[in-house]
Amino acid sequence: MREEAAVVVSGLTKTYGGNIVLDGASITFERSRVHALLGPNGAGKSTLLGCLSGAVTPDSGKIIVNGKEHDGFVPS
């Protein structure tokens, strides 16, 4: 039986003014795995991490942490 993913990001979007910073970003972070975010400057890595931490509010999409939808606050 496969273990539930620790974090699932689905269809995350974020814009600042007219600039699309995240355009439907999706990624799954599995338990007991090492993950890395790589990309050029301006790719949205910091914005994605900001959304995961609750420091940035996405315009749309879902973040599920330990099976519960992330509401903008760090889950306990």
Side-chain angles (χ1 to χ4, degrees):
M1 182 174 177
R2 189 173 176 156
E3 201 173 332
E4 179 182 36
V7 178
V8 177
V9 176
S10 177
L12 215 62
T13 62
K14 179 65 182 175
T15 59
Y16 290 106
N19 298 322
I20 300 171
V21 181
L22 293 176
D23 187 10
S26 298
I27 188 168
T28 299
F29 296 98
E30 296 180 18
R31 297 179 193 287
S32 303
R33 301 273 185 211
V34 175
H35 297 82
L37 291 175
L38 303 173
N41 291 343
K45 301 177 300 290
S46 296
T47 302
L48 175 61
L49 292 176
C51 290
L52 290 172
S53 72
V56 174
T57 303
D59 297 330
S60 65
K62 288 187 179 183
I63 301 172
I64 299 171
V65 180
N66 295 323
K68 296 180 183 175
E69 191 164 349
H70 189 292
D71 62 2
F73 298 101
V74 178
S76 56

